[in-house]
Amino acid sequence: MEIKIYADAGSNLFDSLLKEKNAQVTIIPMTLDIEGKIYKCYEDNIDVESFSKGFYEELRAGKNVKTSLANPNIFLDAFKKDVDEGNKIICFTLASGISGTYQSACIAANQINDEKGEEVVHIIDAKTASLGEGAQALYAYELVQKGLSFDEIIKACEERVSKVRSEFTVDDIRYLKKTGRVSAVVAKIASLLNIKVLLKGNDEAKIVSFGKVHGRMMSIKTLAKTCLDHIVDKNQTIYITHCDAEEDAQKLKDLLVAGGCKNVELYYYDLITGSHVGPGTLAVFYVGENRNN
């Protein structure tokens, strides 16, 4: 019996990143529809940097982009293959407060567990997205490699969820308006006054605002300060993801390094949730104090 780690495509775990980390995490695909052209993230073999640049340029140009969650049958088919081989599964999903993917995974897991008469598939609501979710899956894989049991890994990962902090800022508030995070009036005022909204994933698996600042550079500085104020270990790996905003991501990294952080890694933001927050979005993920602080 082996313990297999799963995550969905909102985890930012592109194949290239998994190879870089030498980690084995099975990714449940999700669909990205760009003006009727369908991409199955991350089953399609893509060059992450070039595809991401093109994708965010299409968003800037006003192209119509849709995403779809993974339905229960997709999870069921994937889970059954491993379970039938005698393996157990721990699966991480996008925050239940922003996606129905968690519910889909639970439906599939419950069916398999009922058939087996025991828990062989466990679903963990990452309560965040992008590398906030991905980092949790990578941590679980590390515990598998260390030889911890199924129950021990579940316990450790469930306890870790509320400590994985996710903070981000968007460059153009109109994408948040589309998702209903802010009203049209607030979006218009914010755009006119160059106000940047700061957001985070809370412990109820929802995205909430934790501040507003004037100007892009102040939003970057505030992200850095928030991380430095709440991080528990500056030697840990801190992940920065960006929606085609590499220069600003580097500025954020420089501020964190200047604040004593030792390991800061930059990646393009995952395409699934990136389509909802929009080009220029900048996010930071790390283990810190309870995320409601």
Side-chain angles (χ1 to χ4, degrees):
M1 187 274 288
E2 294 183 34
I3 301 169
K4 301 291 186 178
I5 305 302
Y6 278 63
D8 60 47
S11 65
N12 222 111
L13 295 179
F14 294 96
D15 187 57
S16 55
L17 193 156
L18 289 173
K19 287 178 179 176
E20 177 187 322
K21 297 291 183 183
N22 194 28
Q24 295 177 20
V25 178
T26 301
I27 304 300
I28 298 296
M30 299 170 78
T31 299
L32 184 67
D33 180 333
I34 306 174
E35 295 284 337
K37 189 172 183 179
I38 307 297
Y39 296 89
K40 208 168 187 181
C41 304
Y42 296 113
E43 286 189 350
D44 291 310
N45 186 22
I46 63 170
D47 179 285
V48 176
E49 182 172 343
S50 62
F51 187 90
S52 296
K53 281 180 178 291
F55 171 66
Y56 290 117
E57 280 303 318
E58 289 184 311
L59 282 182
R60 289 186 181 103
K63 291 287 183 70
N64 187 29
V65 176
K66 299 176 183 177
T67 60
S68 64
L69 56 81
N71 65 51
N73 287 333
I74 293 174
F75 282 102
L76 193 61
D77 290 344
F79 292 164
K80 275 190 172 182
K81 184 178 178 182
D82 263 320
V83 170
D84 288 347
E85 293 176 358
N87 301 316
K88 291 188 175 182
I89 294 168
I90 299 172
C91 177
F92 295 82
T93 72
L94 280 169
S96 59
I98 62 173
S99 170
T101 303
Y102 172 73
Q103 286 75 16
S104 290
C106 287
I107 290 170
N110 289 340
Q111 181 174 327
I112 290 176
N113 292 337
D114 286 346
E115 290 173 357
K116 294 294 182 181
E118 63 173 324
E119 185 178 52
V120 292
V121 180
H122 185 85
I123 311 300
I124 295 179
D125 179 357
K127 298 185 178 181
T128 181
S130 186
L131 273 170
E133 177 192 343
Q136 294 181 53
L138 292 174
Y139 174 70
Y141 181 74
E142 290 177 10
L143 298 184
V144 172
Q145 297 304 104
K146 291 179 179 178
L148 274 69
S149 70
F150 185 61
D151 290 339
E152 288 171 334
I153 296 171
I154 290 171
K155 184 175 185 295
C157 290
E158 292 281 13
E159 290 175 351
R160 190 181 177 89
V161 170
S162 65
K163 299 173 184 176
V164 176
R165 295 180 62 101
S166 312
E167 287 113 26
F168 66 101
T169 187
V170 298
D171 191 41
D172 190 335
I173 202 168
R174 65 189 168 108
Y175 296 96
L176 287 177
K177 184 184 75 172
K178 286 181 181 179
T179 63
R181 295 296 173 191
V182 296
S183 70
V185 173
V186 170
K188 186 174 183 179
I189 293 172
S191 296
L192 288 172
L193 299 180
N194 195 25
I195 293 171
K196 301 300 181 184
V197 181
L198 298 159
L199 303 112
K200 68 175 184 177
N202 69 10
D203 211 29
E204 287 70 52
K206 296 179 180 179
I207 295 173
V208 295
S209 172
F210 70 92
K212 300 178 181 68
V213 296
H214 189 270
R216 177 69 164 181
M217 193 60 217
M218 184 55 69
S219 70
I220 296 172
K221 289 180 178 178
T222 305
L223 284 181
K225 184 179 186 305
T226 303
C227 177
L228 293 171
D229 285 348
H230 295 288
I231 196 167
V232 294
D233 178 10
K234 291 183 178 180
N235 292 310
Q236 69 177 272
T237 299
I238 299 169
Y239 295 102
I240 294 173
T241 60
H242 64 91
C243 297
D244 197 25
E246 197 163 5
E247 186 176 326
D248 286 344
Q250 185 61 51
K251 290 177 184 176
L252 178 56
K253 177 179 178 178
D254 291 343
L255 289 170
L256 293 176
V257 171
C261 298
K262 308 299 182 185
N263 302 295
V264 185
E265 299 181 2
L266 307 182
Y267 297 97
Y268 272 87
Y269 204 105
D270 85 88
L271 303 171
I272 298 298
T273 55
S275 66
H276 296 287
V277 293
T281 294
L282 193 60
V284 59
F285 306 96
Y286 59 98
V287 177
E289 300 170 0
N290 185 298
R291 61 172 70 177
N292 281 341
N293 291 342

